[in-house]
Amino acid sequence: MPAMNMERRYILLVASVALASVSWLPNQATAADLQEAKVTQVVQDVKVVPAGAAARTVTVNETVRQGNAVQTGAQSRSELTFRDQTITRLGEKTIYTVGGGREIELGSGQFLLYVPKKAGGAKVKMGPVTAAITGTTVVGNVSPSGVVEFTVLEGTARVRLDRVGQCLLVVAGQKVTYDPIAMRLEDPVEVDIQQQLNSPLVTGFRQLPSTPYINVAIENQRRAAAGTGGAELARAVSASGAPSIDAATPEQFMAAFSSLLVRYPQAEICDFVATAVRLRPDLADRIVVAAVTTGRPVRGYSKDYKQPVGKEMPCDWVLCIVDAAIAANPRMANEIINAVLLAAPMLRHCLAEPCLPANEFLPPHIISPLNPANFVPVSPEQPPTTSNRD
């Protein structure tokens, strides 16, 4: 996978995207949903450590509340289910603390986290690394050495290393690693989702509610490996009269893309968008706008405007398309977001908290040295003069 070493151009995320990042935050109605959970499965040695109390064995159907830690022993596992049906599974030798609001904390060990669509999102803290997820299934591991591994099985996540200003968009089928020696997040790498399902955190429990989404992600990986979308686009571009995808004019390529888009099942559109963006990265913004606006009518609105019932643009659909395009061409992140907001301003509440369009550190703030020519010493016997006169 090509490294994301592109220039910093995140300042143009303007007021509309700032509003999007605010709307991404969970509301008060869902803030308490992750403050307590019911233990829904226990395998061998699982203990709960209440705040200020000694550890004790936990039982199925017991409620674990905010501030409590759950510990699993060797060859042990556990599953916690929160009120909004968020599921957390813990592997062996894992320490997990139930946090406040929509945040959970993993001290060490292995975990699987499933957050339902429309549940309000969640944050998982893994040492210095924080991942923000919305309607997503992820797995991760925090080793005793401090190495953090985080993999997305379906949906997307934004992984942050706040102390040095890193933030990476991670999509289904990608893993990002935090290296405590280099003290940075490495570039995301591709992983085989099907192989990830062999984990005891999947096979040793009931079927995940997100299994249909994971299956779609697996199929999208298969199609990408086979180059299916690229071959279809090549044929459509040829039919438009262009000798190749690279030689096609923007109008020829967009006409070919749109002709295929209307026939694609919704479950495969995000993957198709990513393929198109990889083939013509210069047209990323136009590709995304076409994908977002083709399926359903999109038009501006005033504060009194209401979208007809049944015609709403699903936020998870919009996010899937936008995130797939940004992952395929991070250089165009700002252009993609701004193009979507210009074409469909009512979708600003759908856009998730933005990441910087690069895997790089924030530049340090350097204090300019004093210029001796501008420095006038003041004698302790002579007070400084002032231009104000009585």
Side-chain angles (χ1 to χ4, degrees), residues 12 63 114 122 141 180 221 231 310 329 334 370:
L12 67 75
T63 298
Y114 157 72
N141 179 66
Q221 275 196 332
N329 185 10
N334 296 329
L370 290 175

Side-chain angles (χ1 to χ4, degrees), residues 277-308:
V277 170
R278 282 191 291 266
L279 292 171
R280 285 298 298 264
D282 57 311
L283 301 177
D285 51 346
R286 294 180 61 176
I287 291 169
V288 173
V289 168
V292 168
T293 60
T294 297
R296 298 185 184 183
V298 177
R299 49 190 179 274
Y301 72 104
S302 68
K303 66 178 182 178
D304 298 321
Y305 174 79
K306 292 184 179 180
Q307 192 82 297

Side-chain angles (χ1 to χ4, degrees), residues 41-311:
Q41 187 164 338
V42 171
V43 178
Q44 296 195 37
D45 181 23
V46 181
K47 291 182 171 62
V48 61
V49 186
R56 57 176 177 77
T57 301
V58 72
T59 59
V60 174
N61 293 326
E62 184 174 341
T63 298
V64 181
R65 294 181 171 80
Q66 179 180 350
N68 293 174
V70 178
Q71 297 179 346
T72 58
Q75 299 182 348
S76 302
R77 298 187 303 276
S78 184
E79 179 185 80
L80 307 176
T81 302
F82 294 84
R83 288 190 296 180
D84 66 352
Q85 299 308 303
T86 290
I87 294 173
T88 299
R89 293 175 179 174
L90 310 177
E92 67 172 355
K93 300 180 181 179
T94 297
I95 302 174
Y96 166 87
T97 302
V98 179
R102 302 288 303 176
E103 182 172 299
I104 57 180
E105 182 175 350
L106 186 77
S108 63
Q110 305 167 344
F111 74 96
L112 179 148
L113 178 64
Y114 157 72
V115 178
K117 312 295 182 185
K118 302 180 181 179
K123 288 185 178 181
V124 54
K125 184 169 177 58
M126 302 160 284
V129 179
T130 302
I133 62 177
T134 305
T136 313
T137 307
V138 301
V139 292
N141 179 66
V142 180
S143 72
S145 66
V147 174
V148 177
E149 294 181 324
F150 183 87
T151 302
V152 177
L153 300 183
E154 59 90 14
T156 59
R158 283 158 175 79
V159 182
R160 293 183 176 275
L161 188 61
D162 288 323
R163 68 185 182 191
V164 293
Q166 277 189 289
C167 179
L168 292 178
L169 172 68
V170 187
V171 299
Q174 288 185 336
K175 178 177 75 172
V176 65
T177 301
Y178 167 70
D179 182 349
I181 297 178
M183 297 180 65
R184 68 170 292 135
L185 297 168
E186 303 296 340
D187 289 336
V189 297
E190 299 291 330
V191 297
D192 188 330
I193 301 175
Q194 186 68 62
Q195 290 184 357
Q196 296 292 316
L197 299 185
N198 295 326
S199 165
L201 294 178
V202 178
T203 59
F205 295 86
R206 59 187 167 122
Q207 187 179 69
L208 286 165
S210 57
T211 296
Y213 296 104
I214 296 175
N215 290 338
V216 168
I218 292 172
E219 177 62 19
N220 287 342
Q221 275 196 332
R222 186 195 65 78
R223 289 173 56 84
T228 306
E232 292 172 340
L233 274 170
R235 289 192 294 269
V237 165
S238 177
S240 72
S244 67
I245 288 177
D246 290 338
T249 66
E251 289 68 28
Q252 287 174 321
F253 183 86
M254 290 307 303
F257 174 76
S258 297
S259 69
L260 295 174
L261 182 66
V262 295
R263 302 200 299 266
Y264 254 73
Q266 182 172 325
E268 298 176 7
I269 285 179
C270 299
D271 176 63
F272 182 48
V273 166
T275 299
V277 170
R278 282 191 291 266
L279 292 171
R280 285 298 298 264
D282 57 311
L283 301 177
D285 51 346
R286 294 180 61 176
I287 291 169
V288 173
V289 168
V292 168
T293 60
T294 297
R296 298 185 184 183
V298 177
R299 49 190 179 274
Y301 72 104
S302 68
K303 66 178 182 178
D304 298 321
Y305 174 79
K306 292 184 179 180
Q307 192 82 297
V309 175
K311 298 293 185 181

